[in-house]
């Protein structure tokens, strides 16, 4: 999916919501567990229920790899289901890959040739040759880790060099030498609030993938105030707050309600820039 196509979907649906498919077999409603493939059936129900209110889905590979080959089959079926039934939705594989060049080429082939997802999260610690192989695929995206919302992010990401530049800023500036606003996004956690101003000083045009709204306590209003651009520039992810809002037989209906609530807030924010 191109940047222009993504922006068109955002404004057409009045939403920049990404639903995280962090599907934990231990949290799936009990009535699904006797089905042949409960993870896939859960995902299908969540996807169909939330599709009117979001523009993207983000399956987290850890939740699928934990089940070995059966989990990866579930991931593949989930991606294929979105592509077949909701083809205008942006798909992010949250795998945080990144290794020496020839290994990254194989990761890129896996996710962009084999699964044909739109985007892949990438860890940039190993530098240019670990990231650029993912940028060789037209109309596919690298989503590079920059300023995350987890507690441990303080260990490295805010470290300053002798000029006062913080590590996350250096990572973003270097990433912008490799990719463009057409094929690179940055991960910035919603709990960072006013630091979105600093992020936007470095990367005024790049899309940001923003986890942490909902269960992690991030403020959508604050993210939009400091991080939104004239063409939105945001994909805000919510996972647990939507997909596990109910563990009863009404789980899909309640997930739809939660997604709708967020979408309605997003519509208000988008009106400010139209």
């Amino acid at each position: 999916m191109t940047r222009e196509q993504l922006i068109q979907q955002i404004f057409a649906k009045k939403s920049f919501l990404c639903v995280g498919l962090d599907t934990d077999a231990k949290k799936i409603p009990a009535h699904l567990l006797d089905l042949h493939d409960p993870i896939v059936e859960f995902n299908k129900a969540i996807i169909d229920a939330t599709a009117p209110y979001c523009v993207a889905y983000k399956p987290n590979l850890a939740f699928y790899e934990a089940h070995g080959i059966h989990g990866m089959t579930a991931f593949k079926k989930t991606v294929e289901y979105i592509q077949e039934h909701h083809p205008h939705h942006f798909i992010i594989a949250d795998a945080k890959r990144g290794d020496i060049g020839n290994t990254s080429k194989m990761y890129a082939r896996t996710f962009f040739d084999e699964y044909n997802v739109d985007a892949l999260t990438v860890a940039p610690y190993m530098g240019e040759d670990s990231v650029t192989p993912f940028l060789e695929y037209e109309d596919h995206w690298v989503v590079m880790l920059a300023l995350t919302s987890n507690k441990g992010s303080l260990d490295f990401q805010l470290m300053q060099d002798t000029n006062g530049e913080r590590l996350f800023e250096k990572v973003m500036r270097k990433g912008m030498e490799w990719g463009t606003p057409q094929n690179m996004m940055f991960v910035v956690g919603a709990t960072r609030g006013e630091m979105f101003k600093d992020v936007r000083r470095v990367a005024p045009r790049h899309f940001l993938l923003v986890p942490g709204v909902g269960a992690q306590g991030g403020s959508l209003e604050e993210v939009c105030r400091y991080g939104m651009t004239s063409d939105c520039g945001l994909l805000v992810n919510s996972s647990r707050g939507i997909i596990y809002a109910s563990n009863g037989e009404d789980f899909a209906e309640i997930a739809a309600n939660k997604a709708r609530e967020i979408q309605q807030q997003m519509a208000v924010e988008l009106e400010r820039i139209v």
Side-chain angles (χ1 to χ4, degrees):
M1 182 180 290
T2 67
R3 178 187 174 95
E4 290 72 23
Q5 290 170 330
L6 177 58
I7 293 170
Q8 191 278 329
Q9 287 298 308
I10 287 171
F11 284 96
K13 300 184 79 171
K14 298 180 180 179
S15 173
F16 44 99
L17 174 62
C18 175
V19 174
L21 298 174
D22 300 4
T23 307
D24 186 342
K26 295 181 180 179
K27 295 181 179 179
I28 290 175
H31 71 280
L32 297 179
L33 296 178
D34 291 332
L35 299 178
H36 172 66
D37 199 335
I39 291 176
V40 173
E41 295 306 319
F42 176 82
N43 284 351
K44 286 180 178 180
I46 291 290
I47 290 163
D48 288 340
T50 60
Y53 312 110
C54 69
V55 295
Y57 290 101
K58 184 176 70 65
N60 186 325
L61 267 292
F63 290 85
Y64 301 88
E65 292 171 336
H67 299 281
I69 188 64
H70 299 295
M72 290 308 298
T73 299
F75 168 76
K76 182 177 176 65
K77 288 180 178 179
T78 296
V79 169
E80 290 174 343
Y81 187 81
I82 299 169
Q83 291 167 338
E84 179 178 354
H85 295 275
H86 305 283
H88 298 300
H89 283 68
F90 193 76
I91 304 174
I92 304 169
D94 190 0
K96 301 178 180 70
R97 298 298 194 252
D99 207 327
I100 59 172
N102 62 337
T103 306
S104 280
K105 284 182 180 292
M106 294 299 103
Y107 282 139
R109 183 184 299 178
T110 298
F111 288 99
F112 294 152
D113 280 340
E114 178 66 23
Y115 298 123
N116 195 29
V117 298
D118 295 291
L120 178 70
T121 56
V122 173
Y125 189 78
M126 292 180 68
E128 180 178 7
D129 62 315
S130 71
V131 175
T132 52
F134 299 103
L135 295 167
E136 296 173 2
Y137 289 77
E138 186 175 0
D139 297 338
H140 291 75
W141 296 71
V142 163
V143 186
M144 205 165 81
L145 298 177
L147 182 61
T148 58
S149 55
N150 60 303
K151 179 181 176 181
S153 66
L154 301 176
D155 291 340
F156 299 117
Q157 293 170 18
L158 299 184
M159 293 175 64
Q160 298 185 18
D161 63 16
T162 55
N163 296 316
E165 185 177 48
R166 290 164 292 188
L167 181 58
F168 81 87
E169 294 169 318
K170 189 180 296 290
V171 165
M172 293 176 69
R173 291 187 199 281
K174 183 59 69 172
M176 291 166 65
E177 296 177 11
W178 309 328
T180 73
Q182 307 295 324
N183 64 4
M184 180 174 282
M185 302 185 187
F186 295 106
V187 177
V188 180
T191 55
R192 294 306 179 198
E194 289 194 26
M195 290 187 70
F196 275 80
K197 291 189 293 186
D198 299 332
V199 169
R200 281 302 182 204
R201 277 195 285 269
V202 177
R205 295 189 58 237
H206 287 254
F207 261 82
L208 307 178
L209 174 64
V210 184
V213 166
Q216 295 183 51
S219 165
L220 178 63
E221 187 275 333
E222 200 169 51
V223 167
C224 293
R225 184 192 315 162
Y226 299 116
M228 185 173 275
T229 64
S230 61
D231 53 11
C232 183
L234 300 170
L235 285 178
V236 173
N237 183 79
S238 179
S239 301
R240 289 170 288 169
I242 291 176
I243 69 174
Y244 299 133
S246 169
N247 62 1
E249 294 190 8
D250 64 349
F251 74 96
E253 178 184 353
I254 300 302
N257 291 342
K258 293 295 184 182
R260 186 188 302 111
E261 289 175 7
I262 298 174
Q263 181 272 323
Q264 290 173 345
Q265 296 172 44
M266 290 178 168
V268 172
E269 297 295 341
L270 287 169
E271 283 294 326
R272 304 183 197 279
I273 61 173
V274 173

